[in-house]
Amino acid sequence: MFLRHVIVFSLIALLAGCAGFGARESVQGQGNAAQWRQHKELLTGLDGWQINGKIGIRAPKDSGSGTLFWLQRQDYYDIRLSGPLGRGAARLTGRPGQISLEVANQGRYEAASPETLLEEQMGWKLPVSHLAWWVRGLPAPDSKSRLTLDGDSHLASLEQDGWQVEYSSYSKQNGYWLPERIKLHGSNLDVTLVIKEWLPRKLGQ
């Protein structure tokens, strides 16, 4: 009797786990689902990095390109844009609940979320909180997503919260396969990220 109860509870737990995975992620494409889960688990543990690259932006009132610097240390980030859209330099820094944006020749602004700051000061509706996941080639964990895997079981494309994200190339850095070129398509905003240098780090708890 005890063994039967253990088996029943194990099956319930297994089905609940599968249902949760399916509810959040719909996976298709050429890749192997088991390999994708291993890849995802490895990258989820990556909580520190430095990125150097380029960014291109197309918006209703602005279009242009510039350089990108992104320092991530667990929940703290420092993202700097230089030269895009004729606005000069912009620097977005913060941690949960404490965000600031500095724009050259305009001033320093603060808000509770990076999304609010960028929309108010730059006019961009960009899901900044998702970018820390998307830049690693992962879906954000707090909403549903539709994933397409490439032949190496990495993300080829992602649909989440009204955004389409495309990954055209990856490179291996310190044991991690990380995106080199990412295109984001929103309703009124297109962003292209070309990452020239990845310096990933696992900082731990």
Side-chain angles (χ1 to χ4, degrees):
M1 179 69 71
F2 175 75
L3 179 61
R4 185 167 62 185
H5 286 169
V6 169
I7 293 173
V8 168
F9 283 124
S10 297
L11 285 173
I12 291 172
L14 178 62
L15 289 172
C18 291
F21 179 81
R24 288 292 179 183
E25 294 181 7
S26 171
V27 182
Q28 60 185 12
Q30 307 173 43
N32 179 278
Q35 291 178 6
W36 158 247
R37 283 192 291 267
Q38 292 176 358
H39 173 69
K40 178 185 174 185
E41 183 177 356
L42 178 66
L43 289 183
T44 298
L46 179 62
D47 58 356
W49 59 82
Q50 181 176 313
I51 287 174
N52 290 285
K54 294 182 177 181
I55 183 171
I57 294 176
R58 293 180 60 189
K61 297 182 180 180
D62 295 299
S63 293
S65 61
T67 61
L68 167 70
F69 170 85
W70 183 342
L71 178 69
Q72 186 82 27
R73 293 291 180 265
Q74 295 183 321
D75 64 355
Y76 171 79
Y77 54 85
D78 181 348
I79 303 173
R80 306 180 195 186
L81 308 178
S82 299
L85 316 177
R87 294 173 181 260
R91 182 182 182 187
L92 182 69
T93 59
R95 49 178 44 90
Q98 185 179 356
I99 318 297
S100 68
L101 174 68
E102 298 176 57
V103 182
N105 302 318
Q106 292 187 34
R108 186 173 184 268
Y109 310 92
E110 296 184 352
S113 78
E115 288 82 4
T116 299
L117 267 182
L118 283 187
E119 184 171 0
E120 289 180 351
Q121 304 303 326
M122 309 290 281
W124 304 341
K125 292 185 177 182
L126 183 64
V128 181
S129 301
H130 285 1
L131 289 183
W133 298 90
W134 293 352
V135 77
R136 287 176 282 172
L138 298 173
D142 54 354
S143 61
K144 293 182 179 180
S145 56
R146 180 177 297 176
L147 317 179
T148 301
L149 305 182
D150 62 19
D152 296 316
S153 301
H154 305 148
L155 279 189
S157 64
L158 159 69
E159 295 179 27
Q160 189 168 29
D161 292 339
W163 282 79
Q164 294 182 331
V165 186
E166 299 175 2
Y167 300 87
S168 55
S169 65
Y170 287 81
S171 65
K172 194 172 187 180
Q173 306 289 340
N174 291 347
Y176 300 95
W177 282 100
L178 294 162
E180 286 185 316
R181 188 177 182 88
I182 310 170
K183 290 186 176 182
L184 298 87
H185 306 279
S187 58
N188 290 304
L189 186 65
D190 288 342
V191 180
T192 300
L193 300 177
V194 179
I195 300 173
K196 301 291 187 179
E197 182 182 33
W198 260 109
L199 297 174
R201 293 181 60 192
K202 186 175 181 180
L203 300 175
Q205 300 298 324

